[in-house]
């Protein structure tokens, strides 16, 4: 299932707006009229960005099946064609955030199509609306740690770091995303990352060790179950994977995309973004850990010298 900060895949496979109620009409306009059409999303982002950059921007209307959105330097006004009271005015910042988030949804739905249309738009108009905002992904391996307004829940104490992660993060907290040969796979903190931690920390320690000659790891979460074999190759790492279970049932697509090759430093750094979020949240919440061994090891991987309540 696809989930971003403002959108979630509904029961019929279409995006539903799940953001704040005060942005609901804005979210409905995006899903009902822009829809999962990458060129339309890019056009809307481009117009809003132009209005943000130019106080003299001439207002422009986007007419759709159900709404009209008037985009101008003062904001975005959305009106429903059929229901008179369904209308609202929104800041350009709000509209921009929602549209960028919807682009992220498009990329998760079909990353190759989204990137192809992005290149087409840039070629046709001579500019990339997402330049400096979202990187055009050409790498085979990436981790996005996820950020969300819904922060960690207060936790007084936990048995260890994995237990703390399972307690701190609710189902609504933004997930991490693993990108494997440009296919994004969601990793929930509460259910996936909490289970992976006990294998992740030793794996990163081993990959960083001088003379590393290869290893295997089994990821044992119900919704991220896979076997990875990592071997040094050409100054980097080749990862061969057998996929058993993922959120969204992408096992066949992942298998078709084959192996991933990534630099060892980049591999460790990608996963450390997840560790940094966890360590930061544990320390900010002063979570007492009965066994702080993995927290200490995670902080060593991050190269941090900060201290926190660890029990």
């Amino acid at each position: 299932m696809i989930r971003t900060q403002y959108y979630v895949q509904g029961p019929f496979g279409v995006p539903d707006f799940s953001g704040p109620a005060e942005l609901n009409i804005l979210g409905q306009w995006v899903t009902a009229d822009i829809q999962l059409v990458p060129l339309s999303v890019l056009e809307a982002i481009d117009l809003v960005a132009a209005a943000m950059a130019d106080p003299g921007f001439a207002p422009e209307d986007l007419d759709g099946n159900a709404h009209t959105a008037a985009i101008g330097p003062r904001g975005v006004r959305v009106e429903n064609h059929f229901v008179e009271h369904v209308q609202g005015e929104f800041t350009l910042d709000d509209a921009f955030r929602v549209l960028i988030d919807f682009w992220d949804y498009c990329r998760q739905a079909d990353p190759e199509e989204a990137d192809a249309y992005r290149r087409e738009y840039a070629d046709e108009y001579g500019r990339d609306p997402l330049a400096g905002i979202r990187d055009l992904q050409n790498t085979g391996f990436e981790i996005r740690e996820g950020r969300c307004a819904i922060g960690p829940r207060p936790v007084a104490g936990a048995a260890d770091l994995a237990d703390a992660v399972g307690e701190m993060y609710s189902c609504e907290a933004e997930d991490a995303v693993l990108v494997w040969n440009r296919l994004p796979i969601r990793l929930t903190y509460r259910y996936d990352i909490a289970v992976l931690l006990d294998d992740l920390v030793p794996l990163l320690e081993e990959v960083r060790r001088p003379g590393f000659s290869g290893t295997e790891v089994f990821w044992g979460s119900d919704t991220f179950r896979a076997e990875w074999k990592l071997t040094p190759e050409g100054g980097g790492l080749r990862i061969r994977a057998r996929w058993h279970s993922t959120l969204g049932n992408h096992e066949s697509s992942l298998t078709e995309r084959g192996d991933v090759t990534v630099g060892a430093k980049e591999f460790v750094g990608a996963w450390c973004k997840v560790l940094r979020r966890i360590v930061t949240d544990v320390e900010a919440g002063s979570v007492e850990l009965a066994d702080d061994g993995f927290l200490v090891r995670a902080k060593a991987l991050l190269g941090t010298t900060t201290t926190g309540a660890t029990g």
Side-chain angles (χ1 to χ4, degrees), residues 183-241:
L183 179 63
I185 304 298
R186 288 172 50 237
L187 301 174
T188 65
Y189 277 85
R190 185 177 185 182
Y191 298 113
D192 293 324
I193 302 297
V195 173
L196 305 185
L197 268 178
D198 286 353
D199 293 305
L200 176 61
V201 170
L203 172 66
L204 300 182
E205 291 172 334
E206 189 168 357
V207 169
R208 283 207 330 179
R209 190 172 297 122
F212 170 72
S213 59
T215 190
E216 296 183 15
V217 61
F218 177 76
W219 304 118
S221 168
D222 289 343
T223 47
F224 189 76
R225 189 175 294 272
E227 300 169 63
W228 286 8
K229 183 176 182 180
L230 294 82
T231 53
E233 183 175 303
L237 295 175
R238 176 174 290 276
I239 309 175
R240 297 175 173 86

Side-chain angles (χ1 to χ4, degrees), residues 70-77 90-92:
I71 301 173
R74 294 186 177 182
V76 177
R77 179 175 177 79
F90 307 94
T91 67
L92 291 170

Side-chain angles (χ1 to χ4, degrees), residues 42-232:
L42 290 168
E43 178 186 10
I45 291 172
D46 205 9
L47 285 173
V48 172
M52 294 171 72
D54 181 9
F57 177 82
E60 187 164 340
D61 290 349
L62 288 180
D63 290 320
N65 297 322
H67 304 82
T68 292
I71 301 173
R74 294 186 177 182
V76 177
R77 179 175 177 79
V78 178
E79 297 183 1
N80 189 288
H81 294 165
F82 309 104
V83 186
E84 184 175 349
H85 70 271
V86 177
Q87 55 185 268
E89 296 186 8
F90 307 94
T91 67
L92 291 170
D93 284 343
D94 282 341
F96 194 70
R97 284 199 305 271
V98 170
L99 286 164
I100 291 294
D101 188 76
F102 194 66
W103 174 261
D104 291 342
Y105 187 103
C106 288
R107 286 208 75 257
Q108 289 191 45
D110 194 330
E112 292 185 359
E113 179 186 61
D115 285 349
Y117 278 115
R118 179 178 173 183
R119 293 186 181 93
E120 178 183 323
Y121 192 97
D123 289 343
E124 181 174 351
Y125 294 99
R127 60 184 180 277
D128 178 358
L130 298 170
I133 303 165
R134 290 289 186 270
D135 293 334
L136 188 60
Q137 300 301 332
N138 291 311
T139 58
F141 185 90
E142 180 194 3
I143 302 287
R144 304 171 192 161
E145 73 274 28
R147 290 293 172 192
C148 188
I150 301 174
R153 298 181 296 191
V155 176
D160 54 22
L161 188 60
D163 186 48
V165 171
E167 292 292 328
M168 285 194 309
Y169 299 105
S170 69
C171 296
E172 290 76 26
E174 187 176 355
D175 302 329
V177 176
L178 162 69
V179 180
W180 182 278
N181 280 330
R182 299 174 64 185
L183 179 63
I185 304 298
R186 288 172 50 237
L187 301 174
T188 65
Y189 277 85
R190 185 177 185 182
Y191 298 113
D192 293 324
I193 302 297
V195 173
L196 305 185
L197 268 178
D198 286 353
D199 293 305
L200 176 61
V201 170
L203 172 66
L204 300 182
E205 291 172 334
E206 189 168 357
V207 169
R208 283 207 330 179
R209 190 172 297 122
F212 170 72
S213 59
T215 190
E216 296 183 15
V217 61
F218 177 76
W219 304 118
S221 168
D222 289 343
T223 47
F224 189 76
R225 189 175 294 272
E227 300 169 63
W228 286 8
K229 183 176 182 180
L230 294 82
T231 53

